[in-house]
Amino acid sequence: MKKVIVNIARLLLAVVFILSGFVKAVDPLGTQYKIADYLEAMHLGGLVPDMVTLGASVLQSAVEFCLGIFLLFAIQRRLTSRLILLIMVVMTPLTLWLALSNPISDCGCFGDAVVLTNWQTFWKNVVLLAAAVVVVRWPGEMFRFVSETNQWIVINYSALFILTVSGLALYYLPQFDFRPYHVGANIKQGMEIPEGAPQPQFETTFIMEKDGVRQEFTADNYPDSTWQFVDTKTVQTAEGYVPPIHDFSVTLADTGDDITEEVLSDSSYVFLLVSPHLEKADDSRLDLLNELYEYAQEHSYKFYCLTASTERNMARWREMTGAEYPFCITDEITLKTIIRSNPGLVLLKNGTVIRKWSHNDLPVIEESLSAQPLERLPFGQMPDNTIPGRILRILLWFVLPLVLLTVADRLWMWTKWLRRKRPAAPAAPTTPTTPTEE
């Protein structure tokens, strides 16, 4: 029974750490933003450089993922279980503080894939802390999938795999997009509130005064005219339905006109160059951006730059790049949610996200194809890179090699055990020799 309990706790911890590390590695910039939120909540915002928080994001995802794999394969059982217990001892009080003070809406344990409330996160960590205590107490009860001789293969391959995932996500875009602006999503539909959805509830309190005495009343027990009105207080008592997209707006920087509806209702293609901060944007692909703008002009496609930068930084970007496209103001957090690249390019049609590109992977239109409309070009269509296909690639590149290694290792250990158990062959009889006479 003890062995069963220990291995259940071991598998629970392994699965949670592997999933938590992987979804963070898939979106390292999202994890960086969450780390910045933690620092803001601790009044340390602006003191830590972006490169440090990004490095911490990549390191955190790699450590979580690798510890989960090591625990799953029972690699360095005592050290791994102690490190996991140390992490849970630190994280459990931290999530209790988050639940009590609520400085941020969620901890980001599973990125945008699974959003938990702060209290849900705390109780989840209590369960994991108990499981960590169990595996630390009896690490020897965890059975191994791979022998100690071949553990180094799992260690190195796991570290290489998860660092590669983070690197590709930073250079291109996350392979899995759990945000409401993913390819195929319709922004306009994401902003709609379904009929019959719960509405937010508010309670209004009236502060009244009579004979120098102030008292609070509700609408149900509103006093007579002998009381004098002083003030009101309105408190939200229940949250209503919040649509997945509730903060998307596009305002022309020059005129202040709101063109959100125009952008989302355009039946043709619309290019959105997204840059939360132009002063921090990568400017190594300016020629391609200008070529895409010229292509859009030739085919009467709208092309906007969405940013949260100041007018001064917009003017500097125009001067530096020769940009002629219009600039629009959009919320910074919204822009960071739309695409994990600065700048990034988004292609819309009828409010639906058709394509998204990092600044490192902008589409190139050959001169021979520049006269063709987007309907006839490959990147004007929805990509064939489906979620099942991406999951299959992960299974082929990471899970399958580890499964084959485990099978080969178990067969090798089995044959080794058989050789030890096989009885030794009897020694051949020797013929006695007689000394020769001299």
Side-chain angles (χ1 to χ4, degrees):
M1 180 59 68
K2 180 173 67 174
K3 185 183 290 290
V4 170
I5 293 174
V6 170
N7 282 284
I8 289 176
R10 163 260 195 107
L11 292 175
L12 173 64
L13 287 166
V15 170
V16 171
F17 269 70
I18 290 170
L19 290 178
S20 177
F22 181 76
V23 296
K24 288 185 177 75
V26 164
D27 186 13
L29 285 179
T31 306
Q32 180 192 20
Y33 298 152
K34 186 57 65 176
I35 292 174
D37 290 342
Y38 275 97
L39 294 175
E40 286 288 344
M42 299 176 183
H43 306 289
L44 299 174
L47 299 179
V48 182
D50 290 343
M51 289 302 297
V52 174
T53 55
L54 181 58
S57 167
V58 174
L59 181 63
Q60 179 185 0
S61 61
V63 168
E64 287 186 8
F65 182 83
C66 289
L67 285 177
I69 292 293
F70 297 167
L71 195 62
L72 178 64
F73 282 85
I75 295 173
Q76 294 292 323
R77 293 176 291 190
R78 285 178 173 79
L79 176 60
T80 300
S81 57
R82 288 171 183 172
L83 289 175
I84 288 179
L85 177 62
L86 177 62
I87 291 174
M88 297 315 306
V89 166
V90 173
M91 293 304 298
T92 305
L94 177 60
T95 52
L96 176 60
W97 168 70
L98 289 176
L100 293 173
S101 58
N102 200 35
I104 56 178
S105 58
D106 69 278
C107 73
C109 300
F110 299 100
D112 293 302
V114 180
V115 178
L116 302 176
T117 66
N118 288 330
W119 278 111
Q120 288 172 338
T121 301
F122 169 69
W123 291 116
K124 179 261 298 180
N125 283 350
V126 169
V127 174
L128 295 182
L129 177 61
V133 171
V134 170
V135 297
V136 165
R137 179 66 181 82
W138 297 288
E141 299 295 335
M142 293 186 284
F143 60 87
R144 291 190 174 98
F145 287 109
V146 176
S147 63
E148 291 184 83
T149 307
N150 294 319
Q151 286 180 356
W152 66 272
I153 302 176
V154 179
I155 294 172
N156 292 325
Y157 191 64
S158 300
L160 177 63
F161 171 79
I162 201 65
L163 291 175
T164 301
V165 169
S166 292
L168 291 175
L170 288 172
Y171 190 83
Y172 297 103
L173 290 175
Q175 281 293 306
F176 296 92
D177 192 347
F178 303 105
R179 300 178 301 280
Y181 298 94
H182 60 83
V183 172
N186 185 280
I187 299 176
K188 198 171 183 179
Q189 292 178 1
M191 299 169 67
E192 296 175 352
I193 298 179
E195 186 178 351
Q199 300 295 319
Q201 303 295 321
F202 300 91
E203 183 179 277
T204 301
T205 303
F206 301 92
I207 303 173
M208 312 294 287
E209 185 175 344
K210 180 179 180 181
D211 299 331
V213 178
R214 292 191 176 186
Q215 190 172 336
E216 294 185 0
F217 299 89
T218 64
D220 296 331
N221 64 346
Y222 196 83
D224 57 37
S225 58
T226 60
W227 288 81
Q228 185 180 359
F229 174 81
V230 177
D231 198 3
T232 61
K233 292 191 304 183
T234 301
V235 179
Q236 185 174 350
T237 57
E239 290 188 3
Y241 174 82
V242 179
I245 301 174
H246 54 274
D247 49 8
F248 180 83
S249 65
V250 181
T251 304
L252 282 173
D254 295 336
T255 63
D257 295 335
D258 189 325
I259 60 170
T260 307
E261 183 65 24
E262 178 184 339
V263 169
L264 298 181
S265 301
D266 196 322
S267 59
S268 184
Y269 291 95
V270 178
F271 287 93
L272 299 180
L273 177 62
V274 178
S275 176
H277 300 287
L278 289 168
E279 60 275 18
K280 297 180 181 180
D282 188 289
D283 58 0
S284 60
R285 300 292 192 276
L286 297 180
D287 292 341
L288 277 178
L289 286 175
N290 290 333
E291 288 176 9
L292 287 169
Y293 173 67
E294 292 173 2
Y295 172 81
Q297 289 292 97
E298 291 174 4
H299 295 272
S300 301
Y301 301 138
K302 300 291 179 55
F303 193 111
Y304 301 103
C305 176
L306 275 54
T307 183
S309 295
T310 62
E311 292 183 6
R312 179 180 178 182
N313 287 321
M314 292 182 205
R316 183 175 178 275
W317 181 265
R318 283 193 184 99
E319 181 182 353
M320 181 178 65
T321 65
E324 298 178 359
Y325 37 79
F327 285 78
C328 301
I329 303 297
T330 302
D331 179 68
E332 173 189 351
I333 296 177
T334 302
L335 296 175
K336 290 180 177 179
T337 306
I338 292 174
I339 191 168
R340 301 301 200 203
S341 180
N342 187 20
L345 189 65
V346 179
L347 182 64
L348 300 181
K349 187 176 184 180
N350 285 318
T352 299
V353 180
I354 302 297
R355 292 270 183 161
K356 295 166 73 171
W357 297 278
S358 161
H359 63 268
N360 293 312
D361 190 35
L362 293 172
V364 178
I365 302 178
E366 302 292 340
E367 187 174 350
S368 59
L369 300 175
S370 61
Q372 298 288 336
L374 276 176
E375 288 86 351
R376 300 182 182 179
L377 296 181
F379 67 81
Q381 316 300 322
M382 285 283 188
D384 297 329
N385 188 14
T386 60
I387 291 179
R390 280 171 270 172
I391 294 176
L392 179 61
R393 281 200 296 272
I394 291 173
L395 293 175
L396 291 176
W397 283 101
F398 183 71
V399 178
L400 181 60
L402 291 184
V403 170
L404 294 177
L405 171 66
T406 302
V407 172
D409 180 86
R410 292 298 91 190
L411 289 174
W412 176 69
M413 292 298 295
W414 181 64
T415 56
K416 188 177 180 181
W417 177 80
L418 286 179
R419 286 196 298 269
R420 286 201 305 266
K421 290 294 183 179
R422 185 179 301 164
T430 57
T431 303
T433 58
T434 55
T436 56
E437 295 181 357
E438 294 182 2

